[in-house]
Amino acid sequence: ERGGMTKHGGVIATNSHVKGINVENGKATGVTLTNNNRVINAKQAVISNLSIWDLLSSGIVDRTHFPDDFYTKGMDTPPGKSFLHIHLGFRATTEELSKLQAHYMYVDDWSRGVDADENTALLSIPSVHDPSLAPDGHAVLHIYTPATEDFQKWEHLDRRSEEYQALKVERSQFLWKVLTKTIPDIKERVTIQKIGTPLTHARFLRRYRGSYGPAIKAGEAS
């Protein structure tokens, strides 16, 4: 199901990487796809969810279309940190799920702040509300650090290397510790697990340095 987009006449195209945003007379007029250089013209505008750094420096838009001051200010925007994720499929009965909440927030030490390293985790167990998300007798969950993972720890690594796999195991220990506070025997229940890192964000979501977004604090900058 595609929801409101298709309900109102929209079309969702998957596997359609955008090669470039087309600009004519200072206005974005459409996009060119990498597949056969197909051009899709916009009726009103082009809406982009690229980060400011990807928009300005990836080559998807010719830099000459941006005023120098806009480009400089954009590239100087401080990037926020990235994430570490664990996605799990695990064994759980309907009765066991009924005793769980759908969402949890864990803070180890409030005095350190929610943005401190290995101090805060968010846990979502959507199977609590929708058992159809997993086969009978199973459930799914997602636990992650809320934009507190430094990209610098990962940027030099080859994601196919043993060093990368070892760091995934090391950095995920905090999340496992938090998980066992909610489901003490979770490791014995797991049937499938996937660990996502800042490199995962950068690769699959095409996010600059795996960043959540600009590191702008309310009341201090805009």
Side-chain angles (χ1 to χ4, degrees):
E1 296 183 15
R2 300 292 186 170
M5 177 68 76
T6 54
K7 180 180 179 180
H8 293 282
V11 176
I12 298 176
T14 58
N15 296 319
S16 301
H17 180 63
V18 175
K19 179 180 180 180
I21 298 174
N22 306 325
V23 179
E24 297 178 11
N25 299 319
K27 180 179 179 180
T29 59
V31 297
T32 298
L33 305 183
T34 54
N35 296 335
N36 300 318
N37 287 320
R38 179 188 172 193
V39 175
I40 299 178
N41 293 315
K43 291 184 178 181
Q44 296 184 24
V46 174
I47 300 175
S48 168
N49 70 341
L50 287 170
S51 73
I52 185 65
W53 314 280
D54 292 304
L55 178 67
L56 297 177
S57 65
S58 68
I60 200 167
V61 181
D62 188 331
R63 178 185 165 181
T64 60
H65 292 299
F66 300 110
D68 289 341
D69 59 341
F70 178 84
Y71 177 86
T72 300
K73 183 178 180 180
M75 292 303 296
D76 286 344
T77 302
K81 294 183 179 181
S82 191
F83 299 81
L84 195 73
H85 303 260
I86 299 178
H87 292 268
L88 296 181
F90 64 102
R91 290 184 294 273
T93 65
T94 300
E95 181 180 358
E96 288 170 331
L97 286 173
S98 70
K99 298 176 181 179
L100 295 172
Q101 301 295 319
H103 298 285
Y104 296 86
M105 179 178 180
Y106 172 83
V107 180
D108 191 58
D109 183 351
W110 281 102
S111 68
R112 294 179 60 207
V114 295
D115 56 351
D117 183 40
E118 295 191 333
N119 191 49
T120 306
L122 300 177
L123 169 61
S124 174
I125 313 175
S127 292
V128 168
H129 292 313
D130 187 355
S132 70
L133 294 173
D136 290 343
H138 293 76
V140 293
L141 65 78
H142 172 213
I143 185 169
Y144 61 99
T145 55
T148 58
E149 188 72 9
D150 283 322
F151 190 77
Q152 290 89 333
K153 289 185 176 76
W154 304 84
E155 61 182 325
H156 65 287
L157 297 176
D158 183 333
R159 58 184 175 79
R160 292 159 297 204
S161 68
E162 292 183 3
E163 186 181 4
Y164 175 62
Q165 297 303 322
L167 188 60
K168 287 171 70 172
V169 172
E170 175 189 331
R171 293 297 295 170
S172 64
Q173 292 309 300
F174 168 70
L175 294 178
W176 283 110
K177 182 186 77 171
V178 175
L179 261 179
T180 58
K181 294 179 181 296
T182 303
I183 309 174
D185 60 345
I186 184 62
K187 289 190 175 182
E188 287 72 46
R189 293 172 175 269
V190 172
T191 57
I192 184 171
Q193 66 172 292
K194 298 290 184 180
I195 299 176
T197 73
L199 296 187
T200 311
H201 267 255
R203 181 187 180 203
F204 289 101
L205 301 181
R206 299 192 179 100
R207 297 291 295 180
Y208 174 80
R209 299 180 66 80
S211 174
Y212 177 72
I216 298 176
K217 294 184 178 180
E220 293 184 12
S222 62

